[in-house]
Amino acid sequence: MIKVIPALDILNGKCVRLTKGSFEEAKVYDEDPVAVAKRFAAAGVKQLHLVDLDGAKAGRVVNYEILRAITEETDLEVEFGGGIKSDQDLAQVFAAGAQKVTIGTLAVKNPKLLLSWLQKYGKDRIILGADVLDGLIRIEGWERETEFKLFDFITNYQWHGIQYILCTDIDKDGMMQGSSLDLYASLLAQFPDLKFIANGGISSIEELRELDKMGCYAAVVGKALYEEKISLEELAQFLSE
């Protein structure tokens, strides 16, 4: 059964959602991210995709205390991303209770450091963030295009033992117009041994079922939950099937 992972993005200490990664289009959904996390946990969710947008902007992790509060006050398994740039950042994030971290920009700019983390902490705690637009990896809050093609980027890290891939279709993110089912089908066919986490545009329970059928490990759902295109009741029912 596919794992459904709600997204909780933090900006200025508040729960927000962006559209295609644009900070200018941030919409505040709740002043209290911890309360939001508790609602997800009450619906039967087991994991949370927590993104420190303040940290992504600052180039260092900012929202340790919100992470710590969520891990202490719920049983959610938190995967954390945003602003992790150093050994100290990573150690503090794990100390604050994160089970896994997602590393994207650093995977392009400092692969040696990422590989050292993979060796130190193990493949079950490091997720490769593969944010893609028009077939190319983008970094630094999706603002900078790289020369890396998605499939080549993943192949390189597969050789080094990466197991989890969070693949975001930037063009779909926050649009609620459906996810890139063809993209994930292609990835799963090319890399059957990797655990893919689909992200971007998921807007219905039917899409989750499709991703489940094709063998996707997990899916991140964001704006569809906050806009109640998928209700927590629907999600709870799906998770109990």
Side-chain angles (χ1 to χ4, degrees):
M1 177 70 168
I2 192 170
K3 298 178 186 298
V4 181
I5 311 175
L8 203 170
D9 294 0
I10 304 170
L11 185 64
N12 300 321
K14 301 171 184 177
C15 173
V16 308
R17 293 302 294 163
L18 308 183
T19 299
K20 295 188 179 182
S22 171
F23 285 90
E24 287 71 33
E25 294 186 51
K27 181 176 179 179
V28 176
Y29 285 95
D30 202 294
E31 301 279 332
D32 186 352
V34 180
V36 175
K38 287 179 176 179
R39 288 199 292 273
F40 289 142
V45 167
K46 302 299 183 188
Q47 294 174 280
L48 182 70
H49 179 65
L50 186 62
V51 181
D52 184 354
L53 294 174
D54 296 305
K57 288 176 73 176
R60 58 177 176 78
V61 179
V62 172
N63 288 296
Y64 293 109
E65 294 309 317
I66 292 176
L67 166 61
R68 190 184 307 279
I70 289 171
T71 58
E72 288 181 351
E73 297 180 37
T74 75
D75 292 326
L76 291 167
E77 178 183 300
V78 177
E79 59 179 52
F80 183 93
I84 301 172
K85 296 290 191 292
S86 67
D87 290 320
Q88 182 182 15
D89 283 327
L90 186 59
Q92 286 183 294
V93 166
F94 282 144
Q99 289 295 311
K100 292 181 173 69
V101 294
T102 300
I103 307 295
T105 296
L106 192 103
V108 170
K109 299 182 78 172
N110 193 346
K112 285 185 179 178
L113 184 56
L114 175 53
L115 293 177
S116 75
W117 293 347
L118 198 59
Q119 193 163 34
K120 181 176 181 179
Y121 294 101
K123 63 184 180 182
D124 289 330
R125 303 203 75 183
I126 308 291
I127 301 170
L128 178 66
D131 303 325
V132 63
L133 184 65
D134 300 326
L136 295 175
I137 295 293
R138 293 183 80 92
I139 60 173
E140 296 174 352
W142 303 346
E143 293 181 352
R144 186 179 141 206
E145 184 178 276
T146 74
E147 61 189 21
F148 294 100
K149 295 179 180 178
L150 174 63
F151 282 70
D152 295 341
F153 184 66
I154 293 172
T155 297
N156 179 57
Y157 276 102
Q158 184 184 32
W159 289 341
H160 291 289
I162 206 82
Q163 190 68 35
Y164 294 89
I165 314 286
L166 174 69
C167 183
T168 303
D169 184 342
I170 295 168
D171 195 49
K172 300 284 188 180
D173 186 74
M175 301 302 291
M176 290 195 299
Q177 296 174 353
S179 64
S180 296
L181 297 176
D182 291 344
L183 171 64
Y184 299 117
S186 298
L187 287 168
L188 288 159
Q190 181 77 20
F191 305 102
D193 297 327
L194 296 182
K195 294 177 179 177
F196 281 95
I197 305 167
N199 186 29
I202 294 169
S203 57
S204 69
I205 293 293
E206 287 69 32
E207 284 175 68
L208 293 173
R209 289 201 175 95
E210 286 296 318
L211 289 165
D212 185 38
K213 282 180 193 171
M214 67 175 68
C216 215
Y217 169 76
V220 173
V221 183
K223 192 172 282 188
L225 285 172
Y226 294 100
E227 297 282 348
E228 297 187 347
K229 207 163 185 183
I230 299 175
S231 70
L232 286 179
E233 291 76 19
E234 279 182 292
L235 182 59
Q237 184 176 353
F238 174 74
L239 293 172
S240 66
E241 289 178 1

